[in-house]
Amino acid sequence: FTLTRHRVQGLDSGADAYLCHPVEPIELVATVNALLRVRRAEQALRDADRRKDEFLAMLAHELRNPLAPIRTAVEVFRLRDAADPPVRRACEIVDRQVAHMSQLVDDLLDVSRITRGKLDLRRERVELAAVVAAAVETSRPLVDAAGHELAVALPADPVV
């Protein structure tokens, strides 16, 4: 039964050239065995890729869990010691880092959803100005915190 199954797998893998061209039996066996090795390697890669995607999804969910209590703790410190400048600065730093970590975890979850086919990307036409405005809004706290100046120059006519 195993030999027959291997022969069928070999034919499915493309080892049917011997039907059209004369081939030595030893060469045919070697070709079938090589094709079977390739097929097993491809399956192993698919399995590893699936396990990686499952791991990323689990990791993202596990990383997300501690972020809410950290954010809540920052708010409690802010309310309790709002007038103390070192505490206020520390809260701002932790709050920015938690927001950054939350974005990274959300991105990781999105990648996981996309690779597992659980997220559909919808393509639509958007104006460049709206995309740039959203990017600037997202980046503004980091730009301001670093003391940088951000200048944006967009074309006068809408770009879609």
Side-chain angles (χ1 to χ4, degrees):
F1 173 72
T2 301
L3 185 58
T4 302
R5 185 171 54 90
H6 287 309
R7 286 179 181 157
V8 170
Q9 285 178 334
L11 290 171
D12 285 345
S13 298
D16 54 357
Y18 74 94
L19 295 174
C20 302
H21 308 288
V23 176
E24 292 297 320
I26 192 79
E27 185 181 348
L28 177 61
V29 169
T31 301
V32 169
N33 285 334
L35 291 169
L36 290 172
R37 280 193 304 276
V38 168
R39 165 104 13 131
R40 283 190 294 268
E42 287 174 346
Q43 185 59 48
L45 284 173
R46 279 193 291 279
D47 291 345
D49 193 48
R50 180 186 46 77
R51 286 192 304 274
K52 177 215 31 135
D53 292 340
E54 290 170 358
F55 173 77
L56 287 177
M58 187 260 325
L59 177 65
H61 284 289
E62 291 300 318
L63 287 172
R64 175 177 267 176
N65 290 338
L67 292 177
I70 293 170
R71 182 167 274 145
T72 300
V74 167
E75 290 304 317
V76 168
F77 285 129
R78 254 195 204 124
L79 293 173
R80 187 165 177 221
D81 297 318
D84 188 8
V87 171
R88 192 172 56 247
R89 277 193 302 276
C91 287
E92 289 169 359
I93 291 168
V94 172
D95 193 43
R96 271 195 313 277
Q97 294 304 314
V98 166
H100 182 66
M101 187 69 146
S102 294
Q103 185 60 52
L104 290 172
V105 169
D106 288 344
D107 291 347
L108 188 59
L109 282 169
D110 287 345
V111 166
S112 173
R113 288 182 192 115
I114 290 168
T115 58
R116 292 181 337 181
K118 303 216 177 205
L119 181 72
D120 293 327
L121 298 178
R122 290 185 310 261
R123 293 175 53 160
E124 62 184 64
R125 295 172 60 85
V126 295
E127 283 196 31
L128 176 63
V131 174
V132 170
V136 168
E137 180 182 335
T138 302
S139 303
R140 179 59 64 193
L142 297 172
V143 171
D144 292 345
H148 296 297
E149 182 179 322
L150 176 64
V152 177
L154 293 170
D157 294 331
V159 176
V160 179

